[in-house]
Amino acid sequence: MAKKTNFRLGKTTIFWAGVGIFLAAIFIFSFYPSKKKLTLVIDYGGGNSRTFTTSYKDGLTAWDMLQQANANYQIDLEPDTDFRPEAIGEFKNGTGGKHWVLYKNGQRQEASPIQTELSSGEIIRFRFE
């Protein structure tokens, strides 16, 4: 007959295995990209742009992000009646035939920024073109 071997894990082995699993989880999740961020780019043209990142919250719109940039970084903002930017900084609609255009994830948006709802991980760009 074969000899039966009892294999028991000691408390120390279980403790260090748990510590190892915990550290591995921290390491893996520290490199895992977070989708809980939103990015706002204000593109003035000619390679001149500013980028802002904020945490995602349910119900945010493109207008909300522009307002946050205005409040936190003193970006001069002049809205028109439907919450489209009339001017951002010294760049006013009509100057040089250009206007502020809203893009969401690279797609031009026809809706007003206040109607453009956002999801986590998205990139919003106001481009002067």
Side-chain angles (χ1 to χ4, degrees), residues 3-115:
K3 186 176 181 182
K4 195 173 187 182
T5 306
N6 287 333
F7 182 73
R8 292 187 178 197
L9 295 176
K11 291 180 182 178
T12 304
T13 304
I14 294 172
F15 171 78
W16 286 112
V19 169
I21 291 170
F22 178 73
L23 292 175
I26 289 174
F27 179 76
I28 289 169
F29 287 110
S30 67
F31 290 103
Y32 186 76
S34 173
K35 290 282 191 174
K36 298 289 185 190
K37 299 277 183 197
L38 290 169
T39 302
L40 168 68
V41 178
I42 300 176
D43 186 346
Y44 299 98
N48 183 13
S49 66
R50 291 187 70 183
T51 302
F52 309 93
T53 303
T54 190
S55 296
Y56 172 75
K57 294 177 189 111
D58 286 335
L60 278 178
T61 66
W63 179 252
D64 295 329
M65 287 201 61
L66 195 54
Q67 285 290 328
Q68 284 183 14
N70 171 268
N72 293 328
Y73 303 102
Q74 289 73 45
I75 303 293
D76 290 330
L77 176 61
E78 184 181 323
D80 68 7
T81 55
D82 68 349
F83 296 96
R84 296 178 192 273
E86 176 67 27
I88 301 176
E90 298 175 11
F91 295 83
K92 186 173 176 83
N93 282 345
T95 304
K98 296 182 178 183
H99 290 62
W100 286 103
V101 178
L102 170 61
Y103 290 85
K104 177 173 139 177
N105 299 323
Q107 300 293 315
R108 186 179 177 137
Q109 302 296 298
E110 297 303 323
S112 167
I114 202 161
Q115 297 169 327

